Amino acid sequence: MTASGTRTPDRVALDELGEWQRALRAQFPIITGHPGLAYLDSAATAQKPRAVLDAVHDYLTTSNANAGRGTYPWANRTTDLVARGRDRIKRFLDDPAPERSAVHFTSGTTEGLRTLARDWLPRFLADGDEIVVPVADHRANIEPWLEARRLLAAQGVHVGVRPMPYQRDSGDYDHTALAELAGPRTRFVAVTHVHHVYGGDMNVHRIRRAVGDDAVICLDAAQSVGHLPVSVAGLDVDFVVFSGHKAMALPGTGAVWARQVRGPEFVPGGWSGTPNTVGVASLTAALDWLDAAGTDRIERWTAALAARLTDRLRHLDGYEILGCRTSLAADSPVQQRRGIVTFRHREISSGDLGFLLYSHGFMVRSDSHCQGSAGEQTDSVRVSLHVYNTADEIDRLLTVLASVG
Ligand code: PLP
């Protein structure tokens, strides 16, 4: 309750969605099987609901074969599975023109971005073109573009790299500064949907206006797919790259979605060999599960938990919360914080804090989070949430943090 007696939006969300959330949490065997532990590291990888575990078991015990090769029933079923997996991703992303777009399976976001940088970007860029690189985002969304530039330079094609401008206080992109630096030679812009350290929604819907109609926009959706609705009908981006394992599928899964409107067609190069068929089975089941659960409700739930944590943590002595400080509430018009809260203690190292938290059963990540060189210079503790997390876990975490503060 606030001083005026009204309930805060995050409190309303937690009350309204409580029953729904309890039913979903019960579907995660690893969570219910470890009542003394709290998994707060879903930005690294998400836990899997029983439906995904069952889909994996079903596939391996009824149809396991190679795809696109044999002609007997198990092989045909596997070939269909991979084709249906592509369609499922298009539907999950609310693709308005699925007959034109393409989906390529990868082992995760890193491999997806590298594939684009290796197989597509060099065909698109010409001498004197410029690319914008988000230098304070995840290194997976920085290194591949710099590598592509190096390889092109070795062939005599010189491409300029413009560091993405950021707003100092929030960690959001500076869309005004981006509009100023983008010119007619700005051909490719790499962006991130939700920042993996600051937890902020990066307002990527503003990028198109800043960079103009012709530039290709590539979206790293590692922290948004599976956590909130991602609609390519609404977002004017050309590529969406994500990790299936962060969206409740098996490790070693992910995909690149390509709109195929700007630039050459995206055709992954080389002979890719046997696909990760069981991974595709798990990803299809995970997307079914997420759609049934409702990504809009998952987004509301995790944002409410994050708001509960930030609202109280910022009043605890000794702690500094990273990212936007004026958007801590779930209803902030400034910048929405999703289910990630990262902080550090002014005197206790983040490594020590991570160990201490685990001694109380909390699994968090404490390091530099693979952030690019323009990011934080000091390690921090990241709490990242998913639908199986509860307000009680947040409250217990706050009690421990208060006791060391
Ligand atoms: N991009 C972002 C924003 C991430 O958070 C991560 C992983 O944490 C990655 C890329 C890399 O994902 P993966 O390790 O699944 O390739």
Side-chain angles (χ1 to χ4, degrees), residues 43 108-111 138 140 192 194 196 220 222-223 243 245-246:
T109 305
T110 307
E111 177 56 20
H138 197 286
T192 301
V194 171
H196 72 295
D220 172 345
Q223 297 300 348
S243 301
H245 67 95
K246 294 185 202 285

Side-chain angles (χ1 to χ4, degrees), residues 125-199:
L125 295 176
D127 198 46
D129 282 347
E130 288 175 357
I131 63 175
V132 179
V133 175
V135 285
D137 290 4
H138 197 286
R139 287 177 56 195
N141 200 12
I142 301 172
E143 306 293 339
W145 318 124
L146 302 182
E147 174 72 4
R149 195 235 339 218
R150 278 194 293 275
L151 292 176
L152 282 168
Q155 296 162 22
V157 178
H158 296 281
V159 170
V161 169
R162 302 300 215 105
M164 171 69 86
Y166 291 80
Q167 297 178 30
R168 198 175 264 274
D169 294 342
S170 65
D172 194 2
Y173 301 133
D174 184 337
H175 302 89
T176 311
L178 177 62
E180 277 161 22
L181 79 74
R185 299 305 298 266
T186 308
R187 305 273 286 142
F188 179 85
V189 184
V191 294
T192 301
H193 204 178
V194 171
H195 199 282
H196 72 295
V197 178
Y198 305 127

